[in-house]
Each structure stands twice: as C-alpha cells, then as structure tokens.
Amino acid sequence: MKFVMADLPPRQRYKLLVSTVTPRPIAWVTTRGTNSVVNAAPYSFFNAMGDDPPLLVLGLLKNAEGADKDTATNIIETGEFVVNLVSEQDAETMNLSCVDAPRTVSEIDYAGIATTSATRVAPPLIATAPVSFECVKREVLEIGPRQVIAVGEVLVTHIRDEFIADPDKLHVDTAAMRLIGRMHGAGTYLRNTDTFTMTRPVFDPARVGGDER
C-alpha cells in the first residue's frame, strides 16, 4: 500500500513511522527547570548526528493542547540537558518515568531514579545508565504545530568503567551494556543482544562491467 502522508492525520503518520523505523534508541533525558525541578523522560525520536561538533538530536512532541512538555521547555529555557542510555535493568524505572506528571513533580522522585552530578551542566546524570552525555543546546527548530527538534552538542561523555574494554584504544563493550530500544506499538521494546557482523566491502570495478581507466 502507498500512504501519502499529507493525506493522513498526525496520529496515523506517527503510527506508520514508529511501526517501521525500528529499532530506535532511547534517550532518557534529564533536565532542570527554572523552578529547580529535575525532569526525566524517555524519547525514541533520537540519534547521533555528527562528530565535529559531536551532536545528538531529539524529536520532542508537544502535549495534547499543543504546548511544549517539560523536557522541551527546560531545554529552551536553560539550554542544558543530559541524554542517558537505557539498559535492561532500568527498563521498568524508565517506563515509570513516562507518566504525565505535573510540572511541580520530579520524575526522579516519582520513579525513584538514582542520580549523580554532572560536571559541565546543571541537570544530573542517571547513575545506573551505562552511558550519559552532557549536552548544551545548539539549535531548537519548531517545525509544525506538534513538535520541536532539539540539537545538542555533547560536552562530556560518561561511560561506566565496566563497559570500557580498552581505555587506550577507546574500545567499548557495547554488548555488555544490554541496551534496549523502541519497536512498534504502544509499549514494545527490543533487547540489543542478537547481533551479526558484516565486513564493509571494497569497491570492485568488475561488478560494473570492466576496468576503470
């Protein structure tokens, strides 16, 4: 079937995207509001987008009334956030932090999330996360009435010591982190434990009909 996205309401577009663009990594984002309340919320419209400068991108959907949620509000107002990656052991706690809590309620307290201080930004790191990225806002793009895109520059990357296989060569034991990702549906997740490896090929002129001269 063919779907012309402009002909569909936003909720149906969302359903098609999240049912097909999988798996998606989860950014468990911590921010600190101007009211000093620490917010923690997971987002799966997320990925790394460059290394010079090192960039992470978040797609932040608005609430039913069309207003920015806490994460977007705090990033816009303070310019700082931390992206924490989610392991299997944190799955239930992460899911509990999805609740639509009032702005005066911290999901850190509500979900019982352990934190530790960051070094360059005000929002804390999630202490149990295998990896945390301290970020500052580079751009916030409001594209359409229902979403903003936040582009952050990574200032500091924290990787727990047990996941560093070779510090000198920056070899990371990614498999040992047991990260999870989002799949289709309202609550389907994926364990990143079933992997396979393919060698990147070298260009072969014979495959296009002969020698190149």
Side-chain angles (χ1 to χ4, degrees), residues 86-155:
V86 183
S87 67
E88 290 182 33
Q89 71 172 8
D90 285 331
E92 291 188 10
T93 305
M94 176 275 298
N95 192 47
L96 188 56
S97 72
C98 289
V99 297
D100 291 326
R103 289 187 184 272
T104 56
V105 174
S106 170
E107 291 85 357
I108 298 295
D109 299 329
Y110 182 84
I113 301 170
T115 63
T116 187
S117 297
T119 59
R120 299 280 296 275
V121 299
L125 317 179
I126 292 177
T128 53
V131 182
S132 298
F133 302 99
E134 299 184 33
C135 301
V136 292
K137 175 185 69 179
R138 287 295 296 262
E139 298 285 348
V140 172
L141 309 173
E142 186 156 351
I143 302 175
R146 298 187 65 249
Q147 61 195 13
V148 295
I149 297 172
V151 181
E153 180 177 348
V154 179
L155 301 183

Side-chain angles (χ1 to χ4, degrees), residues 12-47:
Q12 292 186 13
R13 298 176 207 156
Y14 175 87
K15 186 175 182 179
L16 289 176
L17 288 172
V18 300
S19 296
T20 54
V21 183
T22 62
R24 300 186 307 282
I26 302 169
W28 202 4
V29 183
T30 47
T31 55
R32 185 184 296 275
T34 55
N35 60 357
S36 296
V37 174
V38 176
N39 175 262
Y43 292 89
S44 66
F45 285 169
F46 153 68
N47 222 308

Side-chain angles (χ1 to χ4, degrees), residues 151-186:
V151 181
E153 180 177 348
V154 179
L155 301 183
V156 183
T157 298
H158 300 264
I159 304 176
R160 284 168 50 184
D161 290 349
E162 61 263 40
F163 302 124
I164 302 295
D166 187 328
D168 295 330
K169 296 181 179 179
L170 296 184
H171 288 174
V172 177
D173 189 354
T174 306
M177 296 180 188
R178 301 184 71 84
L179 298 174
I180 62 173
R182 278 303 306 271
M183 292 292 288
H184 56 282

